[in-house]
Amino acid sequence: MQTTITNLYRGKTQPLGPHGKPSAIVKTTISGPVSITFAGLAGDEQADLVNHGGPDKAVHQYSALEYQQLAAAFPALESQLRPGTMGENFSTPQLCADDVCIGDIWQLGSARLQVSEPRKPCWKINARFEEPALVKFIDSQGLSGWYFRVLDEGTANAGDTFQRLSQLNPDWSIARFWQLYRSKTPAIAELEAAIALPGLSELWQQKMTDILSKQRG
């Protein structure tokens, strides 16, 4: 699978929402090539280093196609819901949660990335768009995007190729994984399989292990 990078984005920490809590969800388009390091795009910041950033959350992609679903559900926000506004680091015209799988290895420009986990939406999205129901909808529909770890550093620019190089878990799309995570009655065998997925981050291995423990009673 291959597509083209439409834009790349990075942001600086700034006050967000009525209480002015620090966040870097507001990002701007990058002009020209940008370095992609093991920590993410050069110049991109994270305000909350407990829940954002780190090796397994170095680069974030949000589906450009899924903005259409959000706009249909929140028509008053249609003009605001555009690529780059969910805090993602890059955009492509194709790809959604059904197309991308845990452990996928992709080439972004000259960098090599691996899909490590889904992105769990938080309060910052509601604050960004001033819509208290947005995160709940994103969570219920699995429209939150996904994270990559960086396997090989490199550079990328708008117009470069974004190409899948290999799949470790072709049956485990982000969409399937998210449905399992949100299921009220997840199957034990499915949880065991998810926990063992090559490439899945330790954080999400633990999340799914906790769910498995509850299911086993």
Side-chain angles (χ1 to χ4, degrees), residues 93-116:
Q94 289 89 28
L95 302 181
C96 64
D98 289 312
D99 303 316
V100 176
C101 298
I102 297 293
D104 278 2
I105 296 176
W106 293 78
Q107 183 169 331
L108 180 69
S110 63
R112 201 164 58 98
L113 315 180
Q114 184 177 39
V115 179
S116 54

PDB file of all heavy atoms in Angstrom, residues 93-116:
ATOM      1  N   PRO A  93      -3.973  11.451   1.916  1.00  0.00           N
ATOM      2  CA  PRO A  93      -5.353  11.498   1.430  1.00  0.00           C
ATOM      3  C   PRO A  93      -6.128  10.207   1.650  1.00  0.00           C
ATOM      4  O   PRO A  93      -7.354  10.215   1.701  1.00  0.00           O
ATOM      5  CB  PRO A  93      -5.195  11.799  -0.060  1.00  0.00           C
ATOM      6  CG  PRO A  93      -3.826  11.302  -0.404  1.00  0.00           C
ATOM      7  CD  PRO A  93      -3.001  11.538   0.816  1.00  0.00           C
ATOM      8  N   GLN A  94      -5.431   9.074   1.762  1.00  0.00           N
ATOM      9  CA  GLN A  94      -6.083   7.796   2.016  1.00  0.00           C
ATOM     10  C   GLN A  94      -5.735   7.299   3.418  1.00  0.00           C
ATOM     11  O   GLN A  94      -5.094   7.994   4.184  1.00  0.00           O
ATOM     12  CB  GLN A  94      -5.646   6.753   0.977  1.00  0.00           C
ATOM     13  CG  GLN A  94      -6.203   6.974  -0.420  1.00  0.00           C
ATOM     14  CD  GLN A  94      -5.311   7.868  -1.258  1.00  0.00           C
ATOM     15  OE1 GLN A  94      -4.114   7.901  -1.043  1.00  0.00           O
ATOM     16  NE2 GLN A  94      -5.907   8.577  -2.204  1.00  0.00           N
ATOM     17  N   LEU A  95      -6.203   6.114   3.707  1.00  0.00           N
ATOM     18  CA  LEU A  95      -5.945   5.350   4.927  1.00  0.00           C
ATOM     19  C   LEU A  95      -6.901   5.712   6.058  1.00  0.00           C
ATOM     20  O   LEU A  95      -7.093   6.877   6.386  1.00  0.00           O
ATOM     21  CB  LEU A  95      -4.510   5.510   5.442  1.00  0.00           C
ATOM     22  CG  LEU A  95      -3.385   5.112   4.489  1.00  0.00           C
ATOM     23  CD1 LEU A  95      -2.044   5.322   5.174  1.00  0.00           C
ATOM     24  CD2 LEU A  95      -3.534   3.678   4.036  1.00  0.00           C
ATOM     25  N   CYS A  96      -7.469   4.669   6.645  1.00  0.00           N
ATOM     26  CA  CYS A  96      -8.291   4.817   7.835  1.00  0.00           C
ATOM     27  C   CYS A  96      -7.962   3.677   8.783  1.00  0.00           C
ATOM     28  O   CYS A  96      -7.062   2.876   8.510  1.00  0.00           O
ATOM     29  CB  CYS A  96      -9.776   4.839   7.469  1.00  0.00           C
ATOM     30  SG  CYS A  96     -10.376   3.302   6.746  1.00  0.00           S
ATOM     31  N   ALA A  97      -8.667   3.587   9.884  1.00  0.00           N
ATOM     32  CA  ALA A  97      -8.357   2.592  10.907  1.00  0.00           C
ATOM     33  C   ALA A  97      -8.553   1.154  10.425  1.00  0.00           C
ATOM     34  O   ALA A  97      -8.025   0.222  11.027  1.00  0.00           O
ATOM     35  CB  ALA A  97      -9.205   2.840  12.145  1.00  0.00           C
ATOM     36  N   ASP A  98      -9.298   0.969   9.337  1.00  0.00           N
ATOM     37  CA  ASP A  98      -9.457  -0.373   8.767  1.00  0.00           C
ATOM     38  C   ASP A  98      -8.260  -0.789   7.918  1.00  0.00           C
ATOM     39  O   ASP A  98      -8.077  -1.981   7.639  1.00  0.00           O
ATOM     40  CB  ASP A  98     -10.715  -0.430   7.889  1.00  0.00           C
ATOM     41  CG  ASP A  98     -11.987  -0.372   8.707  1.00  0.00           C
ATOM     42  OD1 ASP A  98     -12.086  -1.119   9.704  1.00  0.00           O
ATOM     43  OD2 ASP A  98     -12.885   0.414   8.357  1.00  0.00           O
ATOM     44  N   ASP A  99      -7.466   0.181   7.491  1.00  0.00           N
ATOM     45  CA  ASP A  99      -6.355  -0.090   6.573  1.00  0.00           C
ATOM     46  C   ASP A  99      -5.020  -0.309   7.271  1.00  0.00           C
ATOM     47  O   ASP A  99      -4.107  -0.907   6.696  1.00  0.00           O
ATOM     48  CB  ASP A  99      -6.166   1.095   5.600  1.00  0.00           C
ATOM     49  CG  ASP A  99      -7.415   1.418   4.813  1.00  0.00           C
ATOM     50  OD1 ASP A  99      -8.052   0.467   4.327  1.00  0.00           O
ATOM     51  OD2 ASP A  99      -7.747   2.611   4.681  1.00  0.00           O
ATOM     52  N   VAL A 100      -4.891   0.192   8.483  1.00  0.00           N
ATOM     53  CA  VAL A 100      -3.611   0.202   9.196  1.00  0.00           C
ATOM     54  C   VAL A 100      -3.666  -0.792  10.341  1.00  0.00           C
ATOM     55  O   VAL A 100      -4.638  -0.826  11.100  1.00  0.00           O
ATOM     56  CB  VAL A 100      -3.318   1.620   9.724  1.00  0.00           C
ATOM     57  CG1 VAL A 100      -2.044   1.639  10.547  1.00  0.00           C
ATOM     58  CG2 VAL A 100      -3.225   2.613   8.565  1.00  0.00           C
ATOM     59  N   CYS A 101      -2.620  -1.596  10.471  1.00  0.00           N
ATOM     60  CA  CYS A 101      -2.604  -2.658  11.482  1.00  0.00           C
ATOM     61  C   CYS A 101      -1.485  -2.462  12.498  1.00  0.00           C
ATOM     62  O   CYS A 101      -0.437  -1.874  12.203  1.00  0.00           O
ATOM     63  CB  CYS A 101      -2.427  -4.023  10.806  1.00  0.00           C
ATOM     64  SG  CYS A 101      -3.766  -4.468   9.674  1.00  0.00           S
ATOM     65  N   ILE A 102      -1.730  -2.971  13.699  1.00  0.00           N
ATOM     66  CA  ILE A 102      -0.700  -2.985  14.731  1.00  0.00           C
ATOM     67  C   ILE A 102       0.545  -3.697  14.179  1.00  0.00           C
ATOM     68  O   ILE A 102       0.442  -4.787  13.605  1.00  0.00           O
ATOM     69  CB  ILE A 102      -1.195  -3.728  15.988  1.00  0.00           C
ATOM     70  CG1 ILE A 102      -2.406  -3.024  16.616  1.00  0.00           C
ATOM     71  CG2 ILE A 102      -0.064  -3.884  17.006  1.00  0.00           C
ATOM     72  CD1 ILE A 102      -2.112  -1.678  17.214  1.00  0.00           C
ATOM     73  N   GLY A 103       1.711  -3.084  14.358  1.00  0.00           N
ATOM     74  CA  GLY A 103       2.960  -3.692  13.915  1.00  0.00           C
ATOM     75  C   GLY A 103       3.355  -3.391  12.489  1.00  0.00           C
ATOM     76  O   GLY A 103       4.472  -3.724  12.080  1.00  0.00           O
ATOM     77  N   ASP A 104       2.465  -2.760  11.708  1.00  0.00           N
ATOM     78  CA  ASP A 104       2.814  -2.382  10.331  1.00  0.00           C
ATOM     79  C   ASP A 104       4.095  -1.556  10.313  1.00  0.00           C
ATOM     80  O   ASP A 104       4.280  -0.659  11.146  1.00  0.00           O
ATOM     81  CB  ASP A 104       1.709  -1.518   9.708  1.00  0.00           C
ATOM     82  CG  ASP A 104       0.558  -2.319   9.148  1.00  0.00           C
ATOM     83  OD1 ASP A 104       0.572  -3.556   9.254  1.00  0.00           O
ATOM     84  OD2 ASP A 104      -0.375  -1.695   8.589  1.00  0.00           O
ATOM     85  N   ILE A 105       4.932  -1.810   9.330  1.00  0.00           N
ATOM     86  CA  ILE A 105       6.141  -1.004   9.146  1.00  0.00           C
ATOM     87  C   ILE A 105       5.976  -0.178   7.881  1.00  0.00           C
ATOM     88  O   ILE A 105       5.658  -0.718   6.814  1.00  0.00           O
ATOM     89  CB  ILE A 105       7.400  -1.895   9.077  1.00  0.00           C
ATOM     90  CG1 ILE A 105       7.580  -2.610  10.425  1.00  0.00           C
ATOM     91  CG2 ILE A 105       8.635  -1.058   8.731  1.00  0.00           C
ATOM     92  CD1 ILE A 105       8.725  -3.598  10.463  1.00  0.00           C
ATOM     93  N   TRP A 106       6.161   1.137   8.028  1.00  0.00           N
ATOM     94  CA  TRP A 106       5.943   2.078   6.934  1.00  0.00           C
ATOM     95  C   TRP A 106       7.182   2.935   6.706  1.00  0.00           C
ATOM     96  O   TRP A 106       7.951   3.185   7.639  1.00  0.00           O
ATOM     97  CB  TRP A 106       4.778   3.018   7.268  1.00  0.00           C
ATOM     98  CG  TRP A 106       3.433   2.364   7.342  1.00  0.00           C
ATOM     99  CD1 TRP A 106       2.937   1.618   8.373  1.00  0.00           C
ATOM    100  CD2 TRP A 106       2.410   2.400   6.346  1.00  0.00           C
ATOM    101  NE1 TRP A 106       1.661   1.192   8.080  1.00  0.00           N
ATOM    102  CE2 TRP A 106       1.308   1.661   6.843  1.00  0.00           C
ATOM    103  CE3 TRP A 106       2.296   2.996   5.088  1.00  0.00           C
ATOM    104  CZ2 TRP A 106       0.122   1.500   6.140  1.00  0.00           C
ATOM    105  CZ3 TRP A 106       1.123   2.845   4.373  1.00  0.00           C
ATOM    106  CH2 TRP A 106       0.051   2.102   4.893  1.00  0.00           C
ATOM    107  N   GLN A 107       7.323   3.393   5.480  1.00  0.00           N
ATOM    108  CA  GLN A 107       8.365   4.363   5.171  1.00  0.00           C
ATOM    109  C   GLN A 107       7.716   5.728   4.999  1.00  0.00           C
ATOM    110  O   GLN A 107       6.825   5.917   4.179  1.00  0.00           O
ATOM    111  CB  GLN A 107       9.115   3.993   3.893  1.00  0.00           C
ATOM    112  CG  GLN A 107      10.270   4.950   3.590  1.00  0.00           C
ATOM    113  CD  GLN A 107      11.165   4.433   2.484  1.00  0.00           C
ATOM    114  OE1 GLN A 107      11.293   3.221   2.301  1.00  0.00           O
ATOM    115  NE2 GLN A 107      11.795   5.337   1.748  1.00  0.00           N
ATOM    116  N   LEU A 108       8.164   6.680   5.809  1.00  0.00           N
ATOM    117  CA  LEU A 108       7.683   8.062   5.751  1.00  0.00           C
ATOM    118  C   LEU A 108       8.858   8.910   5.269  1.00  0.00           C
ATOM    119  O   LEU A 108       9.773   9.195   6.037  1.00  0.00           O
ATOM    120  CB  LEU A 108       7.213   8.524   7.123  1.00  0.00           C
ATOM    121  CG  LEU A 108       6.686   9.953   7.225  1.00  0.00           C
ATOM    122  CD1 LEU A 108       5.364  10.104   6.480  1.00  0.00           C
ATOM    123  CD2 LEU A 108       6.508  10.363   8.687  1.00  0.00           C
ATOM    124  N   GLY A 109       8.849   9.295   3.996  1.00  0.00           N
ATOM    125  CA  GLY A 109      10.030   9.935   3.431  1.00  0.00           C
ATOM    126  C   GLY A 109      11.177   8.943   3.472  1.00  0.00           C
ATOM    127  O   GLY A 109      11.073   7.838   2.935  1.00  0.00           O
ATOM    128  N   SER A 110      12.256   9.294   4.170  1.00  0.00           N
ATOM    129  CA  SER A 110      13.379   8.357   4.309  1.00  0.00           C
ATOM    130  C   SER A 110      13.417   7.697   5.681  1.00  0.00           C
ATOM    131  O   SER A 110      14.321   6.908   5.967  1.00  0.00           O
ATOM    132  CB  SER A 110      14.704   9.091   4.050  1.00  0.00           C
ATOM    133  OG  SER A 110      14.912  10.115   5.017  1.00  0.00           O
ATOM    134  N   ALA A 111      12.441   7.999   6.545  1.00  0.00           N
ATOM    135  CA  ALA A 111      12.368   7.377   7.865  1.00  0.00           C
ATOM    136  C   ALA A 111      11.542   6.095   7.798  1.00  0.00           C
ATOM    137  O   ALA A 111      10.681   5.938   6.930  1.00  0.00           O
ATOM    138  CB  ALA A 111      11.755   8.344   8.875  1.00  0.00           C
ATOM    139  N   ARG A 112      11.798   5.193   8.746  1.00  0.00           N
ATOM    140  CA  ARG A 112      11.040   3.945   8.819  1.00  0.00           C
ATOM    141  C   ARG A 112      10.326   3.905  10.166  1.00  0.00           C
ATOM    142  O   ARG A 112      10.951   4.056  11.210  1.00  0.00           O
ATOM    143  CB  ARG A 112      11.980   2.750   8.658  1.00  0.00           C
ATOM    144  CG  ARG A 112      11.296   1.459   8.214  1.00  0.00           C
ATOM    145  CD  ARG A 112      12.341   0.451   7.713  1.00  0.00           C
ATOM    146  NE  ARG A 112      13.319   0.159   8.736  1.00  0.00           N
ATOM    147  CZ  ARG A 112      13.282  -0.917   9.537  1.00  0.00           C
ATOM    148  NH1 ARG A 112      12.306  -1.798   9.428  1.00  0.00           N
ATOM    149  NH2 ARG A 112      14.227  -1.102  10.436  1.00  0.00           N
ATOM    150  N   LEU A 113       8.991   3.709  10.117  1.00  0.00           N
ATOM    151  CA  LEU A 113       8.150   3.762  11.300  1.00  0.00           C
ATOM    152  C   LEU A 113       7.403   2.455  11.496  1.00  0.00           C
ATOM    153  O   LEU A 113       7.187   1.704  10.552  1.00  0.00           O
ATOM    154  CB  LEU A 113       7.120   4.891  11.175  1.00  0.00           C
ATOM    155  CG  LEU A 113       7.554   6.267  10.676  1.00  0.00           C
ATOM    156  CD1 LEU A 113       6.351   7.210  10.653  1.00  0.00           C
ATOM    157  CD2 LEU A 113       8.658   6.841  11.543  1.00  0.00           C
ATOM    158  N   GLN A 114       6.960   2.210  12.734  1.00  0.00           N
ATOM    159  CA  GLN A 114       6.134   1.041  13.032  1.00  0.00           C
ATOM    160  C   GLN A 114       4.918   1.447  13.846  1.00  0.00           C
ATOM    161  O   GLN A 114       5.036   2.163  14.843  1.00  0.00           O
ATOM    162  CB  GLN A 114       6.930  -0.006  13.809  1.00  0.00           C
ATOM    163  CG  GLN A 114       6.139  -1.293  14.060  1.00  0.00           C
ATOM    164  CD  GLN A 114       6.963  -2.357  14.762  1.00  0.00           C
ATOM    165  OE1 GLN A 114       7.754  -2.057  15.658  1.00  0.00           O
ATOM    166  NE2 GLN A 114       6.783  -3.599  14.352  1.00  0.00           N
ATOM    167  N   VAL A 115       3.751   0.987  13.437  1.00  0.00           N
ATOM    168  CA  VAL A 115       2.511   1.264  14.170  1.00  0.00           C
ATOM    169  C   VAL A 115       2.586   0.557  15.524  1.00  0.00           C
ATOM    170  O   VAL A 115       2.757  -0.659  15.590  1.00  0.00           O
ATOM    171  CB  VAL A 115       1.279   0.781  13.384  1.00  0.00           C
ATOM    172  CG1 VAL A 115       0.005   1.049  14.176  1.00  0.00           C
ATOM    173  CG2 VAL A 115       1.219   1.452  12.017  1.00  0.00           C
ATOM    174  N   SER A 116       2.436   1.334  16.598  1.00  0.00           N
ATOM    175  CA  SER A 116       2.646   0.792  17.935  1.00  0.00           C
ATOM    176  C   SER A 116       1.383   0.690  18.780  1.00  0.00           C
ATOM    177  O   SER A 116       1.280  -0.188  19.639  1.00  0.00           O
ATOM    178  CB  SER A 116       3.662   1.655  18.694  1.00  0.00           C
ATOM    179  OG  SER A 116       3.239   3.014  18.688  1.00  0.00           O
TER     180      SER A 116
END
